[in-house]
Amino acid sequence: MAENPSRGRSETSGPQEHDRPADALPDVEADGSAEPVWRRIAAERWGGGRTASAVGVVILVLSAALTLFQLYVALRAGFDAQQQRLIHLMFVMVLVFLAKPALPGRAGRSVPALALDLVLIAATVAVSFYPMVLQAELASRAGAYTDTDWIMGLTTIVLLLEATRRSVGMVMVVMVSGFVFYAWIGPLIPGRFGHSGATIQRIATHSYLGDGIYGLTLGVVVTFVFVFILFGALLSKTGGGNFFVGLAYVLTGRMVGGPAKGAVLGSALMGSVSGSAIANVVSTGPFTIPLMRRVGYRRHDAAGVEAAASTGGQILPPIMGAGAFIMAERTGIPYVDIVKVAIIPALMYFGVMFLFVDILARKHAVGLAKDSELPTMRAVMGAGWHFLAPLVLLIVLLLNYVPPTQAGLYACGALLLVAMLRAGSRLSPRDFLEVFVLAARNTMPVSVACAVAGVIVGMVGLTGLGLVLADVLVTAFAGNLLLTLIMVALTSLIMGMGLPVTAAYVVLAVLAVPALQELGLAVIVAHMIVYWYSQDSNVTPPVAFAAFAAAGIANARPMRAGLSAWKFAKGLYLIPMLMAYTALMAVGGPVTDLVAAVVGGCVALAASAIALEGHFLRRTVLGERLAFALAAALVLVAPEWSGLLRWALSASVDPGWFTLAGSLLGAGLIALQVVGHRLSRGRGRAAEPADPAPGAGRRDEAAAGK
């Protein structure tokens, strides 16, 4: 049986990339340590010694218990929804208090820190079992809760905020505290944002026993997301990540800018199953970024490409980020229908990224990768063709409206089966245990963020803030959709400075979606726009988490890497405009409208990239850049041009004419560059000597703009 060449190095530090044989797969799963993952997590928190060993065993036991509990729930559904969420969050918060320090450095490893963690763990267990043990009594006195009830609720909020501070960050704690404070001082706020206010008792019980911490947002993680996080952990441990990145490089590595295109495709495939852009960067980046650097990409550009591609993985079906499952639950739209409308915009996002890296390669005369640095199709398929079967099965099941949880379980089972049939991907008992720990580790920030976002959702519902804000947005901008979209994007950027993408989506959904629906957008379109905007915290300075992680790998300046990532991920801002103004998401509508939206949108995105970069097949002059920008603007917001003309000249012009004009202008400018480039190449060949000097390598061809 053929073996995955990288699996043998998954527990030890492998050779440098330039020493890797041509027939080996990229090793994106290598962690450089022979220690089991639970021991490494404990050592990062507690250092070496007996304490770390003991805590590592506890982390392993809790991770296994969490995974087995989730599998039991998915297979048997033996608990009601509230009990599922209580037990899930209890496991997660205990793991956070064990694995994440209260203070940095030695202070976090001291005896007082251990004592504090033990107190927090005991309190977490108490507040988790309280609603389960007294479920019937709490239901009978709903609305007339006792002092013990609200004290337990307040304790839960404090514990959750501390878990959030450790696993997500302080900014989110401040933001949640701000919403709670707003709910408390409502009567003191003047104007439209004032409200009757809520007491601390009401806030605590509503968050604890009502639609708050244990509400729908956390329920989606318990019901759907964990299964796909488990699938990603299995894929990582069996070597499937190596296969998909290797396949990406086989398909794109020998093109102009091939290493960057391979990074785009590989990170997209990995990101769609990892559920985290940052995790994707730190797993694939150590392979993709050095290869981009060796062929000539600048440090900050290599980091930006990796960060933007990893972020795009969260919008790529069949497995999108956790927010997509939350969207399905909040809207009542089947997940498969969300996938169907999401696939075309996602492909357009990666299409414009491919164009960006191609332009960058030509602009800076980036060379081609050596064959010795790239795997062969035979080696890749021989080592990992069996990993395609679970992915195909998952797609087929989702398209046949099998519930996502069941589809994910079947995919996990299929992945285990095909992995055990091949020696190179077969899991040992220790590997199985590591899968449990990896799944639990990757779940921690997602579950905590969704639980604490539930507090914000609860406060918005308690105060009516969502309806007020929607009314203010619609009134302030006189019903102008473009200005409202810009305001939502700016709000997303501000929230992205402290909230992970899933939490940012949840908050934006309750605040901005009603305003977008008031302006005539369908519910799926409004939610998808907000979902796309919420991804920007990974790539938009001054806080660009994925870009900063990539900058560390590339040894680049973080802000420059962030600016590059922001440029490459421009589709996160432009494509939502196409969603709002065109039939891009009308998959069930007339085919001609969809085709026109896709073709016009592709031209607009290409024109935007060329205008922004100032280069295509050759450098563009100022007039060309302005013409490209105009072509993009005509297509992206065609109805706004129609409205402007109606206001200025009282003339009614169908928006389709502006779309057509922008598409023709952009396509014509691109065609002129292509024709000019071909003529230039023809003249260059005619001027060459009959017997050219040997040794004109592939790098020279790339520099000439091949």
Side-chain angles (χ1 to χ4, degrees), residues 275-652:
S276 168
I278 299 173
N280 194 9
V281 166
V282 298
S283 62
T284 61
F287 174 79
T288 60
I289 290 175
L291 189 51
M292 283 189 277
R293 288 281 300 125
R294 280 201 295 278
V295 298
Y297 282 95
R298 295 176 295 181
R299 295 182 186 277
H300 60 274
D301 285 331
V305 168
E306 174 61 37
S310 297
T311 298
Q314 313 307 295
I315 58 177
L316 181 67
I319 306 175
M320 301 166 68
F325 295 98
I326 297 174
M327 187 191 307
E329 286 298 295
R330 292 189 67 88
T331 61
I333 299 172
Y335 179 75
V336 66
D337 290 342
I338 292 176
V339 166
K340 287 178 181 178
V341 300
I343 183 66
I344 293 177
L347 293 178
M348 292 172 70
Y349 173 88
F350 285 105
V352 75
M353 272 210 68
F354 264 72
L355 179 59
F356 262 119
V357 298
D358 188 90
I359 291 173
L360 208 64
R362 299 176 190 277
K363 184 177 180 180
H364 299 293
V366 171
L368 301 182
K370 297 178 181 178
D371 285 339
S372 61
E373 295 176 320
L374 299 172
T376 63
M377 176 63 81
R378 181 175 181 179
V380 170
M381 296 306 295
W385 61 268
H386 55 300
F387 290 116
L388 293 172
L391 190 61
V392 172
L393 175 64
L394 178 62
I395 295 172
V396 171
L397 291 174
L398 289 175
L399 290 178
N400 282 278
Y401 289 89
V402 174
T405 302
Q406 293 183 25
L409 286 174
Y410 288 136
C412 289
L415 178 57
L416 276 176
L417 178 62
V418 299
M420 299 305 285
L421 294 176
R422 305 289 301 275
S425 56
R426 192 169 297 154
L427 296 179
S428 66
R430 175 175 139 170
D431 290 331
F432 273 106
L433 296 178
E434 292 212 356
V435 167
F436 294 160
V437 179
L438 288 173
R441 184 192 66 185
N442 295 340
T443 300
M444 284 193 292
V446 178
S447 296
V448 170
C450 287
V452 80
V455 177
I456 297 178
V457 174
M459 296 304 99
V460 171
L462 198 61
T463 60
L465 177 61
L467 296 176
V468 173
L469 184 60
D471 185 57
V472 168
L473 284 175
V474 173
T475 304
F477 298 120
N480 186 277
L481 179 57
L482 178 60
L483 293 177
T484 304
L485 288 172
I486 293 173
M487 181 56 64
V488 173
L490 290 174
T491 304
S492 172
L493 175 61
I494 294 171
M495 287 188 173
M497 294 180 186
L499 273 67
V501 292
T502 303
Y505 163 70
V506 172
V507 177
L508 276 175
V510 299
L511 295 178
V513 165
L516 295 175
Q517 288 185 264
E518 284 285 329
L519 294 172
L521 296 185
V523 60
I524 181 63
V525 176
H527 274 273
M528 192 63 72
I529 288 172
V530 168
Y531 181 66
W532 274 59
Y533 281 152
S534 67
Q535 307 297 319
D536 66 353
S537 63
N538 285 313
V539 294
T540 307
V543 181
F545 299 114
F548 291 171
I553 299 171
N555 195 24
R557 285 158 52 182
M559 290 308 296
R560 289 203 70 184
L563 288 172
S564 290
W566 177 73
K567 178 178 65 175
F568 297 137
K570 198 55 79 251
L572 289 178
Y573 300 95
L574 300 180
I575 294 175
M577 291 187 179
L578 294 172
M579 296 177 184
Y581 286 110
T582 71
L584 186 62
M585 299 186 66
V587 177
V591 176
T592 53
D593 291 349
L594 179 61
V595 171
V598 172
V599 173
C602 288
V603 173
L605 293 172
S608 301
I610 297 169
L612 189 64
E613 199 62 52
H615 200 282
F616 180 39
L617 300 176
R618 58 167 173 77
R619 187 176 67 86
T620 58
V621 297
L622 179 60
E624 280 183 299
R625 294 184 74 171
L626 293 176
F628 274 116
L630 176 61
L634 286 171
V635 175
L636 289 172
V637 292
E640 296 294 338
W641 290 98
S642 180
L644 181 63
L645 193 64
R646 186 182 305 112
W647 172 81
L649 302 177
S650 298
S652 180

